[in-house]
Amino acid sequence: MEIQGKIKLVSETQTFGNNGFRKREIVITTDEQYPQHIMIEFVQDKTDLLNAYQVGQTVKISINLRGREWTNPQGEVKYFNSIQGWRIENLQTEQSGGTIPPVPPIEAFEPANDLNEEEHDDLPF
């Protein structure tokens, strides 16, 4: 699955337990009639994928939905879902240096009033 949106937050990498489990979260805001703020977690070596991204960038993230069951100390069974990212792409196009500059409005140009077509006829035919 994929989700697109603008980055609202990129958290720092968190490390848990003796095994060094790493997790990093990103929040993106979707661009739809009712925008949603979706938190996606990247784990282990995937946390480094977020280093190149900043708040405000528009991205597409490939995700997996994860679910787990947990029994609390009172014996009640609870279920939790998470959204786990495994790839992220920048959707903003970079402006290259070879782009054509915008054309000024016509009011910025002076009219050419001193043209005499008979004197300036240098066409070869």
Side-chain angles (χ1 to χ4, degrees), residues 61-123:
I61 302 177
S62 298
I63 60 170
N64 290 325
L65 296 177
R66 300 281 187 216
R68 65 183 181 278
E69 181 180 276
W70 175 68
T71 305
N72 70 13
Q74 292 77 29
E76 297 173 317
V77 177
K78 306 254 180 184
Y79 296 92
F80 296 92
N81 298 319
S82 62
I83 303 170
Q84 205 168 80
W86 52 275
R87 180 173 61 194
I88 183 169
E89 298 174 50
N90 187 3
L91 292 181
Q92 293 173 318
T93 56
E94 298 291 327
Q95 289 190 1
S96 62
T99 59
I100 300 172
V103 177
I106 195 160
E107 295 83 26
F109 296 98
E110 292 183 29
N113 296 327
D114 62 344
L115 289 179
N116 184 345
E117 290 186 29
E118 292 177 11
E119 293 177 9
H120 293 91
D121 189 9
D122 57 353
L123 297 176

Side-chain angles (χ1 to χ4, degrees), residues 3 22 29 79:
I3 188 166
R22 296 186 311 152
T29 303
Y79 296 92

Side-chain angles (χ1 to χ4, degrees), residues 26-78:
I26 184 171
V27 176
I28 65 168
T29 303
T30 60
D31 183 22
E32 51 195 352
Q33 183 178 2
Y34 300 105
Q36 301 295 307
H37 306 287
I38 308 292
M39 195 270 301
I40 301 162
E41 61 184 24
F42 285 74
V43 297
Q44 298 299 78
D45 61 330
K46 301 296 184 190
T47 59
D48 296 332
L49 295 175
L50 300 180
N51 291 342
Y53 294 92
Q54 300 174 5
V55 172
Q57 287 182 292
T58 302
V59 294
K60 175 171 67 172
I61 302 177
S62 298
I63 60 170
N64 290 325
L65 296 177
R66 300 281 187 216
R68 65 183 181 278
E69 181 180 276
W70 175 68
T71 305
N72 70 13
Q74 292 77 29
E76 297 173 317
V77 177
K78 306 254 180 184

